[in-house]
Amino acid sequence: MANGVTLESLRQSLIRQEDTIIFSLIERARFPTNSPTYNESYVSTPTFSGSLVHFVVKETEALQAKAGRYANPEEHPFFPDNLPPSVVPPYNFTEVLHPPAASININKDIWDMYFKKLLQLFAAPGDDGIYASTAASDLVCLQALSRRIHYGKLVAEVKFRESPEEYEPAIRAKDRDALMKLLTFESVEEAVKKRVAKKAMVFGQEVTLNNDDNKGKYKVDPSVVSRLYGDWIIPLTKLVQVEYLLRRLD
C-alpha cells in the first residue's frame, strides 16, 4: 500500500487506541456525574454563554488549533467554526485521504452519544464540585472517541485501494446498504468487543497486595466498554466509512 499505510498498520493503531479510550474512561470515572458542568446557563461572559463543558472544549480547541493540532488529518474539532489558524511551522503530513472525502466530521453525533447515552453508564451519580477537571476529562474522552471513529476514513481508503472493483458499483449506485454490507465483518466486531471488555478488566482492576479482596471490582464496568464499541464506536465508524466511500469517486 502506498504511503506505508496498510490494513495491518491501521489495525495495530486501532488496537492501541482501545487502550487510550479505556484509560480516558477510567480517568473520567474518578469524578461523579457533576451535572452542573453541563448546565447551559453555567458560564456567562460577553463573548460566550453556555455550559462549562462547552466552554472548556471550545477554548481548548482554539488553543490547540493555534498549536497545529487540526493540521493533522486524523484530528477533528468539535467546534470547527472560527478556529484560529495555526501559529507553528506546518508539518508535511502524508496525503492518504481523497480530498473531497476528507472533510467528513461527525463529532456532533459523537458529542450527543457521549453526553446523552454513555456518560450515565459509567460515571457514578453525585457532585464533588470539581467541575473544571470534569470538563477537561470529558474532552480527553471525546477526542479519543473522535479520533478512533474518524479513523474509519483511513480504513475505507485502504480497503478501497486494495479492491476498488468491489466498491465502485455500490459507490456509483449510491447504495449505502451495499457498502455497509461490504464493511461488516461480524466475527471481527465480536472479537473487538471481547478484547476491549478484557482490557477494561485488566486496566480497571483495583490492585492490592491481597488481590482476593477486589475480585470483580472494576473502575469502569467491562460490559459498558463492550457496549460502547458494539452500540456506538463500531456503527459510527462504519457510518464514517460509508460517507467517505460515497465521495471517493468525486
Side-chain angles (χ1 to χ4, degrees):
M1 171 53 58
N3 307 325
V5 179
T6 64
L7 276 178
E8 182 52 30
S9 69
L10 293 177
R11 196 177 84 86
Q12 290 306 320
S13 175
L14 292 174
I15 289 172
R16 183 64 186 81
Q17 287 181 56
E18 293 167 3
D19 304 358
T20 306
I21 288 169
I22 293 166
F23 282 122
S24 74
L25 298 180
I26 288 170
E27 280 299 292
R28 175 59 185 86
R30 286 170 51 214
F31 306 104
T33 44
N34 280 344
S35 59
T37 313
Y38 315 111
N39 180 335
E40 286 300 332
S41 57
Y42 191 84
V43 181
S44 185
T45 74
T47 56
F48 178 88
S49 85
S51 69
L52 180 62
V53 74
H54 187 157
F55 179 73
V56 166
V57 172
K58 204 169 166 42
E59 293 292 316
T60 306
E61 285 190 338
L63 176 63
Q64 292 181 342
K66 288 183 184 176
R69 180 176 187 126
Y70 302 108
N72 177 354
E74 293 175 14
E75 300 288 355
H76 298 72
F78 282 85
F79 300 106
D81 297 340
N82 306 317
L83 275 179
S86 170
V87 299
V88 299
Y91 179 81
N92 190 18
F93 287 100
T94 309
E95 261 194 44
V96 178
L97 298 174
H98 184 58
S103 62
I104 295 158
N105 181 337
I106 67 157
N107 273 344
K108 188 186 180 313
D109 295 337
I110 296 169
W111 180 279
D112 289 346
M113 174 274 288
Y114 178 82
F115 289 113
K116 292 179 181 170
K117 296 172 181 168
L118 177 64
L119 188 56
Q120 63 206 19
L121 299 180
F122 74 94
D127 184 341
D128 65 5
I130 308 177
Y131 306 142
S133 296
T134 297
S137 193
D138 284 325
L139 174 57
V140 173
C141 293
L142 287 166
Q143 288 179 329
L145 290 165
S146 173
R147 188 184 176 96
R148 164 64 181 78
I149 289 164
H150 286 100
Y151 230 67
K153 292 194 242 185
L154 283 165
V155 175
E157 176 62 28
V158 173
K159 284 182 173 178
F160 177 83
R161 287 192 202 180
E162 287 195 349
S163 45
E165 68 290 342
E166 250 185 71
Y167 292 94
E168 281 185 13
I171 295 170
R172 291 190 195 286
K174 299 268 184 251
D175 189 338
R176 289 169 181 275
D177 293 341
L179 287 170
M180 194 59 87
K181 222 171 183 173
L182 285 167
L183 296 165
T184 300
F185 299 93
E186 283 178 12
S187 61
V188 174
E189 293 175 10
E190 284 306 314
V192 169
K193 284 157 61 180
K194 283 183 182 155
R195 183 172 62 237
V196 295
K198 189 168 184 183
K199 284 185 178 184
M201 284 180 184
V202 174
F203 301 163
Q205 58 192 319
E206 296 286 352
V207 177
T208 60
L209 293 178
N210 179 5
N211 258 337
D212 294 343
D213 299 346
N214 291 302
K215 278 271 185 302
K217 281 189 192 167
Y218 303 108
K219 296 183 178 84
V220 171
D221 183 341
S223 70
V224 169
V225 180
S226 177
R227 184 179 170 196
L228 164 61
Y229 268 79
D231 288 3
W232 299 307
I233 290 180
I234 292 170
L236 287 171
T237 302
K238 289 196 287 191
L239 174 69
V240 166
Q241 289 179 301
V242 168
E243 291 300 325
Y244 181 88
L245 288 168
L246 286 172
R247 300 176 205 188
R248 182 56 182 78
L249 301 177
D250 292 359

